[in-house]
Protein backbone atom coordinates (compact mmCIF):
# COMPACT_ATOMS: atom_id res chain seq x y z
CA UNK A 1 0.00 0.00 0.00
CA UNK A 2 1.21 3.53 -0.74
CA UNK A 3 2.59 5.35 2.29
CA UNK A 4 0.41 8.12 3.68
CA UNK A 5 1.46 11.74 3.17
CA UNK A 6 0.52 14.40 5.71
CA UNK A 7 0.13 17.80 4.06
CA UNK A 8 0.41 20.45 6.77
CA UNK A 9 -1.32 23.77 6.04
CA UNK A 10 -0.95 26.62 8.55
CA UNK A 11 -3.63 29.26 8.10
CA UNK A 12 -4.48 32.67 9.47
CA UNK A 13 -7.29 34.91 8.16
CA UNK A 14 -7.19 33.13 4.82
CA UNK A 15 -10.85 33.06 3.83
CA UNK A 16 -10.02 34.34 0.34
CA UNK A 17 -7.50 31.63 -0.53
CA UNK A 18 -8.18 28.61 1.68
CA UNK A 19 -10.73 26.95 -0.62
CA UNK A 20 -8.41 27.08 -3.63
CA UNK A 21 -5.54 25.78 -1.53
CA UNK A 22 -7.47 22.80 -0.12
CA UNK A 23 -9.00 21.94 -3.48
CA UNK A 24 -5.53 21.72 -5.02
CA UNK A 25 -4.42 19.37 -2.25
CA UNK A 26 -7.53 17.18 -2.39
CA UNK A 27 -7.21 16.95 -6.18
CA UNK A 28 -3.82 15.23 -5.96
CA UNK A 29 -3.43 12.13 -8.11
CA UNK A 30 -1.84 10.56 -5.03
CA UNK A 31 -4.84 9.73 -2.87
CA UNK A 32 -3.39 8.44 0.42
CA UNK A 33 -3.09 11.86 2.02
CA UNK A 34 -4.32 13.73 5.05
CA UNK A 35 -4.64 17.49 5.23
CA UNK A 36 -3.63 18.85 8.63
CA UNK A 37 -5.20 22.32 8.60
CA UNK A 38 -3.95 24.35 11.56
CA UNK A 39 -6.12 27.42 12.10
CA UNK A 40 -3.83 29.82 13.92
CA UNK A 41 -6.41 32.00 15.64
CA UNK A 42 -8.11 33.32 12.51
CA UNK A 43 -10.68 36.06 13.04
CA UNK A 44 -12.48 35.62 9.72
CA UNK A 45 -14.32 32.69 8.10
CA UNK A 46 -11.26 30.50 7.52
CA UNK A 47 -12.22 27.85 10.08
CA UNK A 48 -15.83 27.69 8.87
CA UNK A 49 -14.73 27.11 5.29
CA UNK A 50 -12.33 24.33 6.30
CA UNK A 51 -14.96 22.75 8.53
CA UNK A 52 -17.46 22.63 5.67
CA UNK A 53 -14.88 20.97 3.41
CA UNK A 54 -13.92 18.47 6.13
CA UNK A 55 -17.54 17.32 6.30
CA UNK A 56 -17.32 16.30 2.66
CA UNK A 57 -13.86 14.71 2.76
CA UNK A 58 -12.61 12.76 5.79
CA UNK A 59 -8.99 13.37 4.79
CA UNK A 60 -9.28 16.95 6.04
CA UNK A 61 -8.52 17.55 9.72
CA UNK A 62 -9.16 20.99 11.22
CA UNK A 63 -7.17 21.97 14.30
CA UNK A 64 -7.78 25.37 15.88
CA UNK A 65 -5.39 27.10 18.24
CA UNK A 66 -4.67 30.53 19.64
CA UNK A 67 -2.61 32.74 17.37
CA UNK A 68 1.07 31.95 17.81
CA UNK A 69 2.58 32.36 14.38
CA UNK A 70 3.27 30.11 11.41
CA UNK A 71 6.08 28.19 13.13
CA UNK A 72 3.93 27.16 16.07
CA UNK A 73 1.19 26.13 13.62
CA UNK A 74 3.58 23.96 11.62
CA UNK A 75 4.98 22.40 14.79
CA UNK A 76 1.47 21.45 15.93
CA UNK A 77 0.77 20.04 12.48
CA UNK A 78 3.85 17.80 12.68
CA UNK A 79 2.77 16.63 16.13
CA UNK A 80 -0.70 15.66 14.92
CA UNK A 81 0.40 14.15 11.59
CA UNK A 82 0.17 10.38 11.07
CA UNK A 83 1.68 10.08 7.59
CA UNK A 84 5.01 8.49 6.79
CA UNK A 85 5.89 11.54 4.70
CA UNK A 86 5.41 15.25 5.45
CA UNK A 87 4.66 18.05 3.01
CA UNK A 88 4.04 21.68 3.85
CA UNK A 89 1.63 23.88 1.92
CA UNK A 90 1.05 27.58 2.57
CA UNK A 91 -2.58 28.60 2.49
CA UNK A 92 -2.01 31.30 -0.15
CA UNK A 93 -0.45 28.72 -2.48
CA UNK A 94 -1.45 25.55 -4.33
CA UNK A 95 -0.09 22.26 -5.67
CA UNK A 96 -0.01 20.95 -9.20
CA UNK A 97 -2.12 17.77 -9.39
CA UNK A 98 0.90 15.47 -9.62
CA UNK A 99 3.01 17.20 -6.95
CA UNK A 100 2.63 14.66 -4.15
CA UNK A 101 2.82 11.65 -6.46
CA UNK A 102 5.97 12.97 -8.13
CA UNK A 103 7.74 13.52 -4.84
CA UNK A 104 6.66 10.22 -3.31
CA UNK A 105 7.92 8.41 -6.40
CA UNK A 106 11.36 9.95 -5.98
CA UNK A 107 11.44 9.31 -2.23
CA UNK A 108 10.54 5.64 -2.54
CA UNK A 109 12.35 4.64 -5.72
CA UNK A 110 15.64 6.23 -4.68
CA UNK A 111 15.35 5.80 -0.90
CA UNK A 112 15.75 9.48 -0.25
CA UNK A 113 15.65 11.34 3.04
CA UNK A 114 14.36 14.50 1.36
CA UNK A 115 13.43 15.74 -2.10
CA UNK A 116 13.30 19.39 -3.20
CA UNK A 117 11.25 20.56 -6.18
CA UNK A 118 10.95 23.69 -8.29
CA UNK A 119 8.11 26.19 -8.11
CA UNK A 120 6.40 28.84 -10.17
CA UNK A 121 4.01 31.71 -9.68
CA UNK A 122 0.72 32.39 -11.41
CA UNK A 123 0.57 36.11 -10.61
CA UNK A 124 4.19 37.12 -11.19
CA UNK A 125 6.85 35.91 -13.66
CA UNK A 126 8.66 33.70 -11.16
CA UNK A 127 10.00 30.29 -12.13
CA UNK A 128 12.57 28.54 -9.94
CA UNK A 129 14.06 25.33 -11.24
CA UNK A 130 17.41 23.54 -10.98
CA UNK A 131 18.66 20.53 -12.96
CA UNK A 132 17.88 17.13 -11.48
CA UNK A 133 20.61 16.03 -9.14
CA UNK A 134 20.98 13.40 -6.43
CA UNK A 135 23.31 14.50 -3.64
CA UNK A 136 25.11 12.70 -0.87
CA UNK A 137 26.46 14.45 2.23
CA UNK A 138 29.70 15.80 0.74
CA UNK A 139 27.93 16.85 -2.46
CA UNK A 140 25.39 18.87 -0.48
CA UNK A 141 28.15 21.16 0.75
CA UNK A 142 29.62 21.44 -2.74
CA UNK A 143 26.20 22.56 -4.01
CA UNK A 144 25.26 24.64 -0.96
CA UNK A 145 25.72 28.05 -2.59
CA UNK A 146 23.60 27.16 -5.60
CA UNK A 147 20.82 25.71 -3.46
CA UNK A 148 20.84 28.67 -1.07
CA UNK A 149 20.95 31.39 -3.71
CA UNK A 150 18.29 29.72 -5.87
CA UNK A 151 15.99 29.60 -2.77
CA UNK A 152 15.58 25.84 -3.25
CA UNK A 153 17.04 25.33 0.21
CA UNK A 154 15.18 27.91 2.28
CA UNK A 155 11.41 27.18 2.30
CA UNK A 156 9.73 24.04 3.68
CA UNK A 157 6.91 23.98 1.13
CA UNK A 158 8.93 22.74 -1.88
CA UNK A 159 10.10 19.63 -0.07
CA UNK A 160 9.02 16.21 1.16
CA UNK A 161 10.35 14.90 4.46
CA UNK A 162 10.22 11.60 6.34
CA UNK A 163 8.19 12.35 9.47
CA UNK A 164 10.18 10.17 11.85
CA UNK A 165 13.39 11.90 10.74
CA UNK A 166 12.15 15.31 11.88
CA UNK A 167 13.96 15.81 15.18
CA UNK A 168 13.76 19.58 15.59
CA UNK A 169 10.89 22.03 15.52
CA UNK A 170 10.53 25.32 13.69
CA UNK A 171 11.93 27.99 16.04
CA UNK A 172 9.02 30.04 17.36
CA UNK A 173 11.12 32.93 18.62
CA UNK A 174 12.08 34.04 15.11
CA UNK A 175 10.08 36.07 12.60
CA UNK A 176 12.61 35.64 9.78
CA UNK A 177 14.88 32.77 8.74
CA UNK A 178 13.11 30.11 10.78
CA UNK A 179 12.37 27.93 7.74
CA UNK A 180 16.03 27.69 6.76
CA UNK A 181 17.04 26.77 10.31
CA UNK A 182 14.45 23.97 10.34
CA UNK A 183 15.74 22.65 7.01
CA UNK A 184 19.40 22.78 8.04
CA UNK A 185 18.61 20.85 11.22
CA UNK A 186 16.84 18.19 9.17
CA UNK A 187 19.66 18.02 6.62
CA UNK A 188 22.24 17.36 9.34
CA UNK A 189 21.01 13.77 9.44
CA UNK A 190 20.03 13.39 5.78
CA UNK A 191 22.24 11.09 3.71
CA UNK A 192 20.40 11.00 0.39
CA UNK A 193 19.02 14.21 -1.04
CA UNK A 194 17.58 14.95 -4.44
CA UNK A 195 16.81 18.11 -6.36
CA UNK A 196 14.24 17.82 -9.14
CA UNK A 197 13.46 20.53 -11.71
CA UNK A 198 9.67 19.99 -11.78
CA UNK A 199 7.85 23.23 -10.92
CA UNK A 200 5.04 21.44 -9.11
CA UNK A 201 4.48 23.95 -6.31
CA UNK A 202 2.43 27.05 -7.15
CA UNK A 203 3.70 30.03 -5.20
CA UNK A 204 1.55 33.13 -4.80
CA UNK A 205 3.52 36.35 -4.65
CA UNK A 206 1.94 38.86 -2.29
CA UNK A 207 1.50 42.52 -2.99
CA UNK A 208 4.71 44.55 -2.69
CA UNK A 209 5.17 45.85 0.84
CA UNK A 210 7.06 48.90 1.95
CA UNK A 211 10.20 48.66 4.04
CA UNK A 212 8.13 49.90 6.93
CA UNK A 213 5.64 47.06 6.56
CA UNK A 214 8.41 44.49 6.19
CA UNK A 215 10.38 45.61 9.23
CA UNK A 216 10.40 43.18 12.16
CA UNK A 217 11.53 44.34 15.59
CA UNK A 218 13.81 41.32 15.96
CA UNK A 219 15.05 41.30 12.36
CA UNK A 220 18.70 41.79 13.26
CA UNK A 221 18.61 39.11 15.94
CA UNK A 222 16.97 36.69 13.52
CA UNK A 223 19.51 37.45 10.81
CA UNK A 224 22.47 36.79 13.08
CA UNK A 225 20.90 33.57 14.34
CA UNK A 226 20.35 32.45 10.73
CA UNK A 227 23.94 33.22 9.77
CA UNK A 228 25.25 31.43 12.85
CA UNK A 229 23.16 28.37 11.95
CA UNK A 230 24.56 28.35 8.41
CA UNK A 231 28.12 28.62 9.72
CA UNK A 232 27.53 25.77 12.19
CA UNK A 233 26.11 23.64 9.38
CA UNK A 234 29.08 24.31 7.12
CA UNK A 235 31.60 23.67 9.91
CA UNK A 236 29.91 20.40 10.84
CA UNK A 237 30.44 19.33 7.24
CA UNK A 238 34.09 20.34 7.02
CA UNK A 239 33.71 23.88 5.62
CA UNK A 240 35.44 26.24 8.06
CA UNK A 241 34.69 29.61 6.44
CA UNK A 242 31.94 31.36 4.54
CA UNK A 243 32.48 31.36 0.77
CA UNK A 244 32.75 34.89 -0.64
CA UNK A 245 29.52 34.54 -2.60
CA UNK A 246 27.67 33.73 0.62
CA UNK A 247 29.13 36.73 2.43
CA UNK A 248 27.79 38.98 -0.32
CA UNK A 249 24.33 37.54 0.32
CA UNK A 250 24.72 38.17 4.05
CA UNK A 251 25.63 41.79 3.39
CA UNK A 252 22.46 42.23 1.35
CA UNK A 253 20.53 40.84 4.33
CA UNK A 254 22.26 43.21 6.73
CA UNK A 255 21.66 46.15 4.41
CA UNK A 256 17.97 45.22 4.19
CA UNK A 257 17.81 45.24 8.00
CA UNK A 258 19.55 48.61 8.13
CA UNK A 259 17.24 50.13 5.53
CA UNK A 260 14.24 48.68 7.33
CA UNK A 261 15.26 50.22 10.64
CA UNK A 262 15.73 53.60 9.00
CA UNK A 263 12.44 53.46 7.10
CA UNK A 264 10.20 52.17 9.88
CA UNK A 265 10.31 55.45 11.82
CA UNK A 266 10.65 53.75 15.22
CA UNK A 267 14.14 55.10 15.94
CA UNK A 268 15.64 58.58 15.93
CA UNK A 269 19.08 59.34 14.50
CA UNK A 270 20.93 58.95 17.79
CA UNK A 271 19.30 55.61 18.50
CA UNK A 272 20.22 54.36 15.02
CA UNK A 273 23.82 55.43 15.52
CA UNK A 274 24.00 53.33 18.68
CA UNK A 275 22.30 50.32 17.06
CA UNK A 276 24.55 50.39 13.99
CA UNK A 277 27.69 50.89 16.09
CA UNK A 278 26.77 47.87 18.22
CA UNK A 279 25.90 45.82 15.14
CA UNK A 280 29.30 46.49 13.58
CA UNK A 281 31.10 45.29 16.70
CA UNK A 282 29.36 41.92 17.06
CA UNK A 283 31.12 38.59 16.65
CA UNK A 284 28.92 37.66 13.70
CA UNK A 285 29.57 40.91 11.82
CA UNK A 286 33.32 40.45 12.25
CA UNK A 287 33.06 36.80 11.28
CA UNK A 288 31.34 37.76 8.05
CA UNK A 289 33.27 40.85 7.05
CA UNK A 290 36.68 40.94 8.76
CA UNK A 291 38.44 39.15 5.89
CA UNK A 292 36.09 40.02 3.07
CA UNK A 293 34.55 43.23 1.84
CA UNK A 294 31.27 42.84 -0.04
CA UNK A 295 30.92 44.12 -3.58
CA UNK A 296 29.08 47.12 -2.20
CA UNK A 297 32.27 48.44 -0.57
CA UNK A 298 30.92 51.91 0.17
CA UNK A 299 27.93 50.66 2.13
CA UNK A 300 29.77 48.48 4.59
CA UNK A 301 30.88 51.46 6.66
CA UNK A 302 27.93 53.63 5.69
CA UNK A 303 29.88 56.01 3.44
CA UNK A 304 26.98 56.49 1.08
CA UNK A 305 25.40 59.92 1.33
CA UNK A 306 22.12 58.50 2.59
CA UNK A 307 23.98 56.94 5.54
CA UNK A 308 26.13 59.96 6.43
CA UNK A 309 24.28 60.84 9.60
CA UNK A 310 24.60 57.30 10.94
CA UNK A 311 28.42 57.09 10.77
CA UNK A 312 29.74 56.30 14.24
CA UNK A 313 33.49 56.07 13.58
Amino acid sequence: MDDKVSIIIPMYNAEKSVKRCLESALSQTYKNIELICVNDGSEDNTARIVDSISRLDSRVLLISKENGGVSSARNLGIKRATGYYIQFLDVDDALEKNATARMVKEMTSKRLDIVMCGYHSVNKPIDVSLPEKKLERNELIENFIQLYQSTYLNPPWNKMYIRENIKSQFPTDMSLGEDLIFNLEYLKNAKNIEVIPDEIYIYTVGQPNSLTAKYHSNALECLEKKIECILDFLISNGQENFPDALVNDFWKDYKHCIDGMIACGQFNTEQLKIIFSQMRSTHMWNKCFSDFTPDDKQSIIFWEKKYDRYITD
Side-chain angles (χ1 to χ4, degrees):
M1 182 178 177
D2 294 333
D3 290 311
K4 182 192 287 186
V5 177
S6 297
I7 302 176
I8 297 171
I9 310 173
M11 47 189 64
Y12 174 73
N13 288 352
E15 61 182 12
K16 294 181 179 179
S17 63
V18 65
K19 185 177 180 181
R20 167 181 173 265
C21 175
L22 265 60
E23 286 178 347
S24 80
L26 293 172
S27 298
Q28 290 299 296
T29 58
Y30 193 90
K31 299 303 181 184
N32 191 14
I33 61 174
E34 63 176 2
L35 272 55
I36 311 294
C37 302
V38 184
N39 174 40
D40 189 38
S42 295
E43 298 172 344
D44 62 2
N45 291 313
T46 299
R48 295 187 188 92
I49 295 170
V50 177
D51 181 63
S52 65
I53 295 174
S54 70
R55 295 175 187 276
L56 302 174
D57 196 316
S58 61
R59 295 176 297 172
V60 179
L61 173 64
L62 172 62
I63 304 169
S64 291
K65 60 184 283 296
E66 292 184 0
N67 181 256
V70 65
S71 289
S72 67
R74 286 175 177 151
N75 290 337
L76 180 56
I78 295 170
K79 184 177 180 180
R80 295 291 295 272
T82 62
Y84 183 77
Y85 296 116
I86 294 283
Q87 265 185 290
F88 294 99
L89 172 59
D90 282 359
V91 73
D92 292 334
D93 301 338
L95 297 171
E96 297 288 0
K97 288 188 176 182
N98 67 327
T100 301
R102 177 75 174 92
M103 297 178 88
V104 169
K105 180 181 178 181
E106 294 301 309
M107 292 289 283
T108 56
S109 64
K110 299 178 182 178
R111 297 183 179 180
L112 301 174
D113 296 303
I114 185 171
V115 62
M116 312 181 194
C117 72
Y119 59 94
H120 66 97
S121 172
V122 294
N123 61 337
K124 288 280 182 82
I126 292 180
D127 298 276
V128 178
S129 178
L130 290 177
E132 185 165 339
K133 186 180 296 187
K134 186 176 179 182
L135 306 171
E136 296 182 357
R137 293 290 309 161
N138 61 320
E139 295 169 315
L140 174 62
I141 299 303
E142 293 171 7
N143 290 269
F144 187 88
I145 297 293
Q146 183 185 32
L147 290 171
Y148 179 78
Q149 293 184 332
S150 69
T151 67
Y152 251 68
L153 190 61
N154 299 36
W157 36 254
N158 70 328
K159 298 172 177 65
M160 182 169 282
Y161 310 79
I162 296 175
R163 180 169 60 89
E164 65 180 17
N165 289 353
I166 297 175
K167 306 300 182 184
S168 300
Q169 295 187 327
F170 287 88
T172 57
D173 60 341
M174 296 179 65
S175 56
L176 299 165
E178 68 278 9
D179 296 348
L180 178 62
I181 289 178
F182 174 83
N183 285 329
L184 292 181
E185 288 297 321
Y186 184 90
L187 286 168
K188 283 181 180 179
N189 299 309
K191 296 180 180 179
N192 295 307
I193 303 134
E194 186 172 32
V195 173
I196 59 174
D198 309 52
E199 297 177 9
I200 48 181
Y201 189 90
I202 306 170
Y203 177 69
T204 301
V205 181
Q207 294 299 315
N209 293 317
S210 65
L211 282 169
T212 303
K214 287 185 175 181
Y215 174 70
H216 296 262
S217 60
N218 65 342
L220 183 58
E221 179 185 349
C222 291
L223 172 59
E224 294 190 336
K225 187 172 181 179
K226 182 188 80 169
I227 294 174
E228 183 178 13
C229 186
I230 292 173
L231 178 60
D232 289 345
F233 181 79
L234 293 174
I235 289 175
S236 68
N237 287 278
Q239 176 75 46
E240 291 296 327
N241 298 302
F242 292 122
D244 288 356
L246 202 56
V247 177
N248 261 320
D249 285 338
F250 293 158
W251 169 242
K252 292 175 184 176
D253 289 339
Y254 267 109
K255 192 169 184 294
H256 185 74
C257 273
I258 292 165
D259 289 337
M261 289 179 193
I262 294 170
C264 74
Q266 296 181 25
F267 309 100
N268 61 37
T269 299
E270 292 306 311
Q271 289 173 322
L272 288 169
K273 282 185 177 181
I274 294 171
I275 292 170
F276 295 159
S277 178
Q278 292 173 340
M279 177 178 68
R280 290 161 55 194
S281 63
T282 62
H283 166 74
M284 193 52 62
W285 178 279
N286 289 322
K287 183 68 181 178
C288 287
F289 307 125
S290 60
D291 298 324
F292 176 80
T293 302
D295 292 339
D296 190 358
K297 294 178 182 179
Q298 300 297 321
S299 292
I300 195 163
I301 51 176
F302 308 133
W303 279 353
E304 293 182 62
K305 287 185 178 180
K306 66 179 179 179
Y307 292 130
D308 281 351
R309 57 181 166 163
Y310 308 116
I311 294 175
T312 56
D313 291 340

